[in-house]
Amino acid sequence: MEPILRIRNLHAEVEGKEILKGVDLIVNPGEVHAIMGPNGSGKSTLAQVLAGHPAFTVTEGSIIYKGQDIQETAPEDRARDGIFLAFQYPIEIPGVSNSTFLRTGLNEVRKRRGLPELDAFDFVELVKQKAAMVQMDQSLIDRPVNEGFSGGEKKRNEIFQMAMLEPSLGILDETDSGLDIDALRIVSDGVNQLRSPDRAFVLVTHYQRLLTYIVPDFVHVLFDGRIVKSGGKDLALHLEEYGYDAIKQEADAANGVSN
Amino acid sequence: MSSPLDEIANGEYKWGFVTDIEAKTIPKGLSEDVIRQISALKHEPEFMLEWRLKAYRQWLKMTEPDWPNVTYPPIDYQDISYYSAPVQKKPKEGLEEVDPELLSTFEKLGIPLSEQKRLAGVAVDAVFDSVSVATTFQDQLAEQGVIFCSFSEALRNHPELVRKYLGTVVPSSDNYFAALNSAVFSDGSFCFIPKGVRCPMELSTYFRINSASTGQFERTLIVAEEGAYVSYLEGCTAPMRDENQLHAAVVELVALDGAEIKYSTVQNWYPGDEEGRGGIYNFVTKRAKAGANAKVSWTQVETGSSITWKYPSVILQGDNSIGEFYSVALTNKYQQADTGTKMIHIGKNTRSTIISKGISAGRGQNTYRGLVRVLPKAENARNYTQCDSMLMGDRCGAHTFPYISVGNNSSRVEHEASTSKISEDQLFYCRQRGLSTEDAISMVINGFCKEVFRELPMEFAVEATKLLSVSLEGSVG
């Protein structure tokens, strides 16, 4: 089976500072991978680099998505090919309605998939159906993108957009941050409904909390720009109990031995 | 990874071609003789020549304003030609006699004038350098009593109307550039909407500068009698040239009691090149006088010119009159704009709204300058001003100079201002949802300018959106 995502020895920097220092990861269809790690370990950078944020430069290694090296692929083309990033801090676009914004994006994605553009009526139908998945208030659809949204509404909007765009690879960057327990449950339910055998997820999170709702197949610990430990869902619980320090010591020890 | 925007040709100006046509041009220089020549060439009535000469003598005593927040080398007023007109074989009787070269020029600019192709629902007066070459739909308009023609034609056919209203809103001595215009103006548009008539179509003037070293000085006068309504559009372009060219226009709007005038501009004069060479100096005086219960709206989208100096204003003379100013001003490359409005509240219960959106990119400098003056007798006057600036990149500037003067206790004046930045993050967010960079910029800018664009007639709004995107290409990254 062809993996959806194969990351090899990925190094990336921003403004001359190296953040990712050799990440390896394989994600197969249907799998959910959690990337955990302390602040500053490079989790969000990894998410942004996968989506092609122009502020980051890949200096070494490769990202193979569905068999293609995407290093030279523009962010919009990655999106159209099915990579979706749920932002940690969703961006506000004053004066542009959520629906206009999303419809433009959706039709670009559909074009890439060889599907006809959705007309206004079909679009509204689809919006209704997908908004229900994350219990999103219909009135938010006509409001300007993320403007005046609460933190929870913004995160819900991200998952709603993901549901609309039906990606092959969903990357969730700290989607749980700033959510109360009810909102967390709703957002997680939405993601769980989107799980399918031909779709994969990468969840970037600091806390184990999210993973009790969205149960991952694999957990990886990112530390100082490298994945230092991988395991099953129990690894997250282990982290919760012992903290990142234990992992850090293990990693240091391992480096010491191998050196 | 470099932004793909860097690779897009840097904001190419698509209207920069030159039409090769024989022109009658008065040699460079300004004097009473030159003014007499202009007046004679146009076969003007005596009163017009007298008016011009008076303005010229006033101008000689005036000095160029130095308060605008713009810088440019001194202008040599003797190094400009004040009149240039394409040579017409004989006086034109109809469109079929207009030089085909001129018709094709306007067609290239998207302003087809010929019977079969002209824009439905919009009457157009096409001005090329110093003269009007054609005005469409005149007959249909005349059926309603609406006069829409070039200024020269108005002087020939309706001298009494011109004489009655000319200079009543912008006196010839109003300011340096208005005085210069009054002395040497060559053509422009004249609109007259009689009492109670709702003008059945949009009226539009398209200004085109073609000749080198020529100034363009047009004058527009719109009169809406009691209860009349008109919507007027104005567009303009110029060839790309290395030297600067002067454009000093005057627009006067007279809205009598209960009348409504909606005036929309998409200003797209050549803005100069990457290094700031060339471009139009756009020094324009636009003002309206509103009678009781009258309403005047100025909507402008300013994307062109190397320097813009322009404050479309409303004198709210009659009780309950309304003045509105909606503006989008964009400065990119080395462009400088000092623009805004004046709302002078004289009548009781007068209301004004000012929405100004300034966009600065490249090394552009964008200044909003606005005056709200409420005179003591203007009881219960209301003003709302919203002034937003958007910056793209870190080499441009946005400046705001609001002047507020209130002479009574019953009036209310509100001013809001904001500055924001279009960021790589905003564009990345859009692109991550599948939008191209162009669509993303266009969407963000469109959202920012929404309150202004919705005031524009539909076709203009679409055009304006496209124009902004083109003008901003290559400015983020």
Side-chain angles (χ1 to χ4, degrees):
Chain A
M1 182 176 50
E2 171 103 46
I4 281 193
L5 181 68
R6 183 194 293 271
I7 303 174
R8 273 202 197 116
N9 189 32
L10 184 66
H11 291 250
E13 58 175 46
V14 62
E15 290 166 357
K17 186 173 187 280
E18 185 168 59
I19 310 284
L20 299 182
K21 302 171 180 173
V23 174
D24 293 279
L25 182 67
I26 292 177
V27 178
N28 289 303
E31 294 176 352
V32 175
H33 290 246
I35 310 282
M36 301 186 69
N39 290 331
S41 58
K43 303 188 299 287
S44 280
T45 297
L46 178 61
Q48 308 249 31
V49 167
L50 291 177
H53 195 298
F56 298 93
T57 311
V58 172
T59 50
E60 210 184 323
S62 60
I63 305 168
I64 310 293
Y65 171 71
K66 292 184 177 173
Q68 300 287 320
D69 189 324
I70 57 169
Q71 198 181 317
E72 298 298 321
T73 308
E76 57 269 39
D77 286 315
R78 298 186 195 197
R80 293 167 191 171
D81 288 337
I83 295 179
F84 182 94
L85 172 63
F87 282 55
Q88 181 179 6
Y89 304 108
I91 310 290
E92 299 184 359
I93 311 177
V96 177
S97 78
N98 234 341
S99 64
T100 305
F101 174 69
L102 196 50
R103 202 173 146 204
T104 311
L106 178 60
N107 280 330
E108 290 290 350
V109 169
R110 288 177 65 90
K111 212 188 289 171
R112 180 63 55 91
R113 292 178 190 157
L115 298 169
E117 291 201 355
L118 274 192
D119 66 29
F121 298 104
D122 291 341
F123 180 76
V124 168
E125 271 312 305
L126 191 64
V127 163
K128 263 189 203 155
Q129 186 196 331
K130 303 291 186 183
M133 275 178 65
V134 285
Q135 301 180 25
M136 194 163 105
D137 191 340
Q138 287 277 323
S139 69
L140 294 181
I141 307 296
D142 297 316
R143 295 231 316 252
V145 180
N146 292 321
E147 200 187 28
F149 285 30
S150 70
E153 284 170 339
K154 283 182 182 173
K155 295 299 177 76
R156 235 183 263 200
N157 195 20
E158 293 293 287
I159 303 306
F160 161 69
Q161 293 184 11
M162 182 165 75
M164 291 289 291
L165 296 174
E166 302 182 317
S168 305
L169 176 63
I171 305 158
L172 278 60
D173 188 4
E174 307 258 3
T175 295
D176 49 332
S177 69
L179 288 186
D180 63 29
I181 200 76
D182 291 330
L184 180 63
R185 192 179 295 126
I186 291 164
V187 164
S188 305
D189 279 354
V191 174
N192 285 330
Q193 288 178 62
L194 290 171
R195 288 178 78 155
S196 82
D198 51 8
R199 182 174 292 145
F201 289 94
V202 172
L203 313 179
V204 168
T205 181
H206 189 84
Y207 300 104
Q208 190 273 336
R209 191 174 75 139
L210 175 71
L211 306 181
T212 54
Y213 295 97
I214 309 174
V215 181
D217 301 301
F218 301 95
V219 174
H220 310 275
V221 180
L222 192 66
F223 183 78
D224 193 24
R226 287 186 196 89
I227 288 177
V228 294
K229 196 175 176 74
S230 296
K233 61 178 192 287
D234 295 341
L235 178 56
L237 295 168
H238 177 82
L239 281 174
E240 186 80 351
E241 195 164 341
Y242 299 102
Y244 288 112
D245 281 347
I247 299 281
K248 188 183 164 186
Q249 281 159 18
E250 269 178 53
D252 289 346
N255 279 340
V257 169
S258 63
N259 289 345
Chain B
M1 190 171 151
S2 77
S3 162
L5 259 182
D6 297 339
E7 291 144 34
I8 297 173
N10 206 324
E12 203 188 331
Y13 188 75
K14 295 173 181 161
W15 307 266
F17 64 91
V18 178
T19 306
D20 188 13
I21 194 162
E22 196 191 334
K24 158 81 183 162
T25 305
I26 295 182
K28 287 177 181 178
L30 183 54
S31 63
E32 290 207 3
D33 266 0
V34 167
I35 291 164
R36 284 176 202 282
Q37 271 187 66
I38 294 173
S39 195
L41 274 168
K42 304 184 78 65
H43 311 286
E44 287 181 349
E46 186 60 25
F47 84 87
M48 202 60 245
L49 175 61
E50 287 310 315
W51 200 79
R52 286 175 180 278
L53 290 172
K54 187 176 148 220
Y56 175 66
R57 288 165 198 146
Q58 284 163 325
W59 179 74
L60 286 175
K61 289 183 225 141
M62 299 168 92
T63 49
E64 203 171 318
D66 60 1
W67 48 263
N69 189 22
V70 298
T71 52
Y72 55 92
I75 299 171
D76 181 354
Y77 290 91
Q78 296 303 333
D79 194 35
I80 296 171
S81 165
Y82 288 85
Y83 184 88
S84 177
V87 173
Q88 304 264 9
K89 311 280 179 296
K90 51 182 173 174
K92 62 184 163 67
E93 293 293 323
L95 262 174
E96 53 283 359
E97 290 172 31
V98 175
D99 191 317
E101 191 63 35
L102 288 174
L103 292 180
S104 86
T105 296
F106 282 98
E107 192 151 337
K108 241 163 120 179
L109 295 167
I111 316 291
L113 299 168
S114 65
E115 203 78 42
Q116 308 82 1
K117 293 183 192 159
R118 60 199 189 183
L119 307 166
V122 184
V124 180
D125 184 24
V127 178
F128 188 89
D129 283 337
S130 297
V131 294
S132 164
V133 296
T135 311
T136 60
F137 291 110
Q138 279 182 311
D139 299 343
Q140 288 91 326
L141 289 167
E143 284 167 20
Q144 311 265 340
V146 174
I147 302 168
F148 179 46
C149 60
S150 70
F151 210 96
S152 314
E153 208 175 320
L155 271 173
R156 281 198 301 275
N157 301 336
H158 312 280
E160 71 298 338
L161 278 176
V162 175
R163 194 171 190 170
K164 184 171 174 191
Y165 291 107
L166 180 69
T168 58
V169 187
V170 180
S172 59
S173 59
D174 189 79
N175 66 67
Y176 188 78
F177 297 112
L180 178 62
N181 173 285
S182 302
V184 302
F185 78 90
S186 38
D187 216 335
S189 298
F190 177 78
C191 316
F192 177 84
I193 325 298
K195 194 171 171 176
V197 171
R198 194 180 164 85
C199 187
M201 57 180 87
E202 308 265 359
L203 305 185
S204 166
T205 304
Y206 195 92
F207 295 101
R208 173 74 179 173
I209 294 179
N210 189 61
S211 299
S213 312
T214 308
Q216 179 142 330
F217 306 92
E218 80 270 0
R219 193 152 187 125
T220 298
L221 174 58
I222 300 178
V223 179
E225 282 196 328
E226 291 83 352
Y229 168 86
V230 64
S231 168
Y232 178 91
L233 325 170
E234 172 193 59
C236 39
T237 55
M240 288 152 73
R241 296 187 190 281
D242 282 347
E243 68 274 16
N244 297 103
Q245 274 179 283
L246 179 62
H247 170 255
V250 171
V251 175
E252 295 182 276
L253 309 185
V254 179
L256 298 181
D257 293 356
E260 181 175 349
I261 301 178
K262 203 171 153 48
Y263 192 106
S264 312
T265 305
V266 172
Q267 187 263 107
N268 187 25
W269 296 120
Y270 177 53
D273 69 9
E274 291 313 301
E275 275 81 47
R277 270 189 311 252
I280 304 292
Y281 291 164
N282 190 37
F283 301 135
V284 173
T285 306
K286 291 183 164 178
R287 197 174 300 152
K289 205 181 256 186
N293 303 305
K295 179 177 175 184
V296 175
S297 297
W298 296 101
T299 305
Q300 61 171 21
V301 177
E302 304 280 315
T303 61
S305 300
S306 62
I307 296 178
T308 296
W309 179 97
K310 172 177 171 188
Y311 315 91
S313 306
V314 185
I315 299 168
L316 297 155
Q317 200 164 40
D319 293 349
N320 312 312
S321 56
I322 297 173
E324 295 174 337
F325 174 73
Y326 300 97
S327 170
V328 169
L330 177 146
T331 52
N332 195 4
K333 299 171 185 165
Y334 281 85
Q335 284 176 274
Q336 308 173 64
D338 190 313
T339 185
T341 183
K342 290 187 276 185
M343 293 291 176
I344 313 296
H345 293 256
I346 298 172
K348 294 184 184 62
N349 305 314
T350 46
R351 281 181 288 152
S352 63
T353 303
I354 299 170
I355 309 283
S356 165
K357 305 279 181 176
I359 303 164
S360 313
R363 294 173 190 271
Q365 293 294 328
N366 210 317
T367 300
Y368 168 80
R369 189 184 302 276
L371 168 69
V372 176
R373 173 172 290 157
V374 179
L375 295 176
K377 284 185 178 161
E379 289 162 24
N380 296 311
R382 294 279 179 273
N383 163 267
Y384 173 74
T385 300
Q386 186 190 327
C387 199
D388 299 324
S389 305
M390 183 179 268
L391 298 166
M392 302 173 77
D394 48 18
R395 291 174 304 177
C396 53
H399 318 270
T400 303
F401 300 107
Y403 304 85
I404 298 170
S405 132
V406 180
N408 66 47
N409 291 328
S410 58
S411 296
R412 196 169 74 208
V413 174
E414 291 172 67
H415 183 95
E416 285 181 24
S418 78
T419 302
S420 57
K421 215 168 167 181
I422 186 168
S423 60
E424 195 69 57
D425 283 339
Q426 225 168 11
L427 294 183
F428 177 61
Y429 187 66
C430 296
R431 295 171 76 191
Q432 214 302 304
R433 298 299 181 255
L435 275 66
S436 65
T437 307
E438 292 78 6
D439 285 349
I441 291 182
S442 154
M443 199 167 267
V444 171
I445 294 294
N446 209 9
F448 177 70
C449 301
K450 195 177 178 186
E451 292 141 296
V452 175
F453 285 170
R454 71 174 170 219
E455 298 297 325
L456 286 170
M458 184 72 114
E459 305 78 18
F460 251 42
V462 174
E463 199 54 35
T465 310
K466 277 195 218 144
L467 196 53
L468 285 190
S469 307
V470 170
S471 305
L472 283 172
E473 273 175 10
S475 52
V476 176

